[in-house]
Amino acid sequence: MSLTETAHAKINLYLHVTGKRPDGYHLLDSLVVFAGAADRLTHQPSEAPLSLELTGPFGQKLASEATDDNLVIRAARLLTQGMDTPLTGRLILEKNLPVASGIGGGSADAAATLRLVDRVLALGTPEPRLLSIAEQLGADVPVCLLQKPTLMRGIGEQLDPAPALPACGILLVNCGEAVSTPAIFKARNAAFSSDAILPAAWPTAAAMTDDLQRLSNDLEPPACALCPSISIVLDAIGALPNCLLSRMSGSGATCFGLFDTAESAEAAATRLRQEQQNDWWIWAGPVLPSPDAPSA
Ligand code: C5P
């Protein structure tokens, strides 16, 4: 039987760089949420050695990386290493999210692989072990494993529940230029920020964006300097009707706009698609609620 896992886009609503470790990794303070936009990873069982196939609108871009170095294969290997019977069959990655774009595509795929392989082999791996494997795969992989609103600190391994979030809509826009995360961190030359002080809950999207306006993505200035299209995207999002906040996610280049509702985010996306002459990737919909939240 085939099994599928969904790897949702990760968005940093703010991202403070608060320090640097001796090994060069940066300490962060970030509120991470997930959007409906997602890659999909399917496992089709067979006796053949494990293989990876890439499909979807961004599958070709990744094709050159469909090797042993691919994070999906590395995640599957790490989880199953030392086991008597190796994982066999086909992994099919439907790549719907732009590559190297600050919304966690590769990290979300690696996290989805851990969840999927755990299900395929009925391993029942305890969450702390999955999180420790995730950490070895990349700083953003642990938060993508949880795939719910989370406060992320350390280099990405300290995860705490986010404030209770209001329902809201989000618009994602990517200009199509891949940016290098190490290069952005290297180009950052501002003083370190402090950790944000957040309330336990935000009653409305407007209250949340009021607080977020006072915070920042510290990687946005160096990213805009290295990739000027990001500033153009941010201005275009900020000028859309009912946009409460426009900001870059992660190390870019994807930017987001926050809206009161998914419907107003979708209306803004329609308008942006009509207005812009570029080949931008545009997605709009809801911010995902926490799976643990009581249903309304
Ligand atoms: O861990 P990941 O592969 O996502 O990180 C890519 C690069 O981004 C790292 O090699 C490092 O240069 C930089 N980085 C950092 N501090 C972090 C996360 C990433 O300096 N917390």
Side-chain angles (χ1 to χ4, degrees):
M1 186 185 57
S2 297
L3 291 177
T4 296
E5 275 286 329
T6 309
H8 288 280
K10 164 229 75 159
I11 295 107
N12 302 86
L13 292 185
Y14 74 90
L15 190 158
H16 287 183
V17 179
T18 58
K20 193 173 177 188
R21 297 198 319 195
D23 65 1
Y25 267 82
H26 291 80
L27 299 173
L28 309 175
D29 167 41
S30 183
L31 175 56
V32 177
V33 298
F34 293 85
D39 292 340
R40 263 171 208 86
L41 183 68
T42 300
H43 177 261
Q44 287 182 350
S46 83
E47 299 300 316
L50 190 66
S51 64
L52 175 62
E53 190 181 310
L54 296 163
T55 66
F58 293 99
Q60 275 308 312
K61 278 216 162 180
L62 252 198
S64 57
E65 294 181 33
T67 63
D68 282 2
D69 281 344
N70 187 285
L71 265 184
V72 167
I73 295 291
R74 283 179 50 209
R77 291 237 171 87
L78 263 184
L79 183 59
T80 56
Q81 84 187 359
M83 286 181 191
D84 293 340
T85 40
L87 175 68
T88 60
R90 278 170 79 200
L91 286 170
I92 301 157
L93 177 61
E94 183 189 307
K95 195 78 205 145
N96 301 312
L97 301 178
V99 174
S101 72
I103 51 175
S107 304
D109 297 342
T113 308
L114 296 178
R115 295 193 300 267
L116 182 66
V117 173
D118 189 67
R119 283 170 61 207
V120 168
L121 298 175
L123 300 175
T125 313
E127 189 173 271
R129 178 163 145 71
L130 285 180
L131 284 168
S132 120
I133 295 173
E135 238 179 87
Q136 297 170 51
L137 291 162
D140 274 345
V141 184
V143 78
C144 290
L145 191 67
L146 300 187
Q147 209 162 232
K148 61 183 179 186
T150 298
L151 269 178
M152 184 177 97
R153 299 207 182 86
I155 65 159
E157 80 289 7
Q158 290 173 30
L159 304 176
D160 290 298
L165 298 178
C168 57
I170 195 159
L171 167 71
L172 301 175
V173 182
N174 183 278
C175 61
E177 294 171 42
V179 295
S180 147
T181 302
I184 302 289
F185 272 105
K186 221 169 159 197
R188 193 204 63 89
N189 55 14
F192 292 124
S193 299
S194 45
D195 284 352
I197 297 168
L198 303 178
W202 282 297
T204 60
M208 178 173 78
T209 42
D210 265 0
D211 279 347
L212 290 175
Q213 293 283 10
R214 287 188 276 275
L215 309 172
S216 57
N217 180 346
D218 292 345
L219 299 179
E220 201 176 283
C224 289
L226 290 176
C227 177
S229 304
I230 294 172
S231 308
I232 298 168
V233 168
L234 284 169
D235 288 347
I237 296 174
L240 290 165
N242 303 315
C243 178
L244 299 169
L245 171 83
S246 70
R247 183 163 284 165
M248 189 183 83
S249 178
S251 58
T254 307
C255 299
F256 64 89
L258 281 179
F259 295 79
D260 246 331
T261 61
E263 290 71 28
S264 45
E266 279 154 12
T270 304
R271 175 124 169 207
L272 189 59
R273 282 191 192 102
Q274 287 161 355
E275 279 175 1
Q276 62 99 22
Q277 308 294 315
N278 308 295
D279 201 12
W280 291 352
W281 175 81
I282 299 171
W283 183 94
V287 171
L288 292 190
S290 160
D292 299 339
S295 49

